[in-house]
Amino acid sequence: MRLVILGPPGAGKGTQAASIVKEYQVPHISTGDIFRDNIKRGTDLGKKAKSYMDEGGLVPDELVNEIVIDRIKQDDCKDGFLLDGFPRTTNQAVVLDAALEAMKTKLDRAINIQVDTDLLVNRATGRRVCPECGETYHISNNPPKEAGICDHDGAKLIQRDDDKEETVAKRISVYESQTAPLIDYYKGQGLLLNVNGSQEIDQVFEDIKKGLGESRNQ
């Protein structure tokens, strides 16, 4: 199962991605996680990516394409993968299609999580992340057992710079202008699976499963 998950900032892509990779037993390839790991380690890639991410902009295609294409060529992706945060532009989608064609394979589905803008802002600005393990919480929708503390390792939760209200508004604007055209791109290929992301988390996942079909756990 070779999948792409689409949706604006705060749509719940990360939460649904975690359920998808567990259900369908494929690696989760998150460009955001890759960049944040590089930022934490202070690599050249991390420094370049941070300057764009902190301002709510997209990391340039040439930085993203190389790292993602290299990742999907690794052995653990031979039976499938879930791409989260890539492609973000039609140019990236074209590059991905060409790379998969060269590997004699192709995408199976592009999952599009749809959520109203007002709800997106509330979701994103309320998000808190564990800096140690990466676990994600929300101050009202998915709070930790103890306020501000990770359930798993006791670390103090943080609000990412790209989850602050001004940055979130810019990220949504960038998404609508640069990433939303991917919806038409994948619709034209007959790969698009639209899902109502305003529902409860479990119901969103049930709708995704209905659209994708049987998992390897069945």
Side-chain angles (χ1 to χ4, degrees):
M1 188 78 74
R2 292 168 180 84
L3 306 168
V4 165
I5 188 164
L6 304 173
K13 295 190 297 296
T15 299
Q16 296 304 325
S19 297
I20 291 167
V21 299
K22 181 178 180 181
E23 183 79 10
Y24 294 89
Q25 299 180 25
V26 293
H28 177 201
I29 303 174
S30 165
T31 54
D33 288 347
I34 291 171
F35 287 132
R36 280 187 284 274
D37 174 62
N38 278 270
I39 289 169
K40 188 175 182 180
R41 292 187 289 114
T43 67
D44 288 341
L45 173 64
K47 292 173 184 175
K48 290 178 183 177
K50 189 175 190 302
S51 66
Y52 293 96
M53 294 171 71
D54 284 353
E55 295 177 1
L58 295 182
V59 179
D61 286 357
E62 58 268 21
L63 279 180
V64 184
N65 293 343
E66 183 177 352
I67 196 168
V68 174
I69 300 307
D70 177 71
R71 179 68 183 87
I72 65 175
K73 289 180 178 178
Q74 295 178 21
D75 287 345
D76 64 333
C77 293
K78 67 180 186 297
D79 292 326
F81 51 77
L82 173 67
L83 284 172
D84 176 5
F86 183 93
R88 282 190 171 177
T89 65
T90 50
N91 177 59
Q92 289 179 352
V94 170
V95 170
L96 174 62
D97 284 349
L100 291 174
E101 185 176 357
M103 296 163 63
K104 302 189 186 310
T105 188
K106 59 183 179 178
L107 285 178
D108 292 302
R109 294 291 258 174
I111 304 161
N112 179 39
I113 302 180
Q114 301 173 305
V115 183
D116 290 338
T117 300
D118 288 346
L119 182 55
L120 291 174
V121 173
N122 173 267
R123 282 185 178 180
T125 56
R127 183 161 50 193
R128 299 294 183 270
V129 179
C130 175
E132 298 300 324
C133 71
E135 185 70 23
T136 300
Y137 301 89
H138 190 280
I139 56 176
S140 57
N141 300 339
N142 182 33
K145 294 175 183 175
E146 181 181 352
I149 302 297
C150 180
D151 293 345
H152 303 295
D153 51 36
K156 186 176 180 180
L157 302 179
I158 61 170
Q159 182 182 39
R160 297 196 318 231
D161 287 340
D162 55 343
D163 281 339
K164 293 176 180 175
E165 187 166 355
E166 182 178 336
T167 307
V168 169
K170 182 174 180 180
R171 289 170 65 207
I172 292 171
S173 176
V174 169
Y175 176 83
E176 290 174 346
S177 64
Q178 298 189 37
T179 307
L182 282 171
I183 296 169
D184 289 335
Y185 180 84
Y186 286 122
K187 184 177 181 180
Q189 293 185 352
L191 298 178
L192 194 68
L193 170 60
N194 285 319
V195 179
N196 177 7
S198 299
Q199 306 173 95
E200 293 295 323
I201 291 172
D202 290 347
Q203 185 57 54
V204 175
F205 185 52
E206 286 301 315
D207 288 354
I208 290 173
K209 286 197 293 183
K210 287 176 186 176
L212 294 180
E214 291 188 359
S215 74
R216 294 184 186 180
N217 289 338
Q218 294 177 319

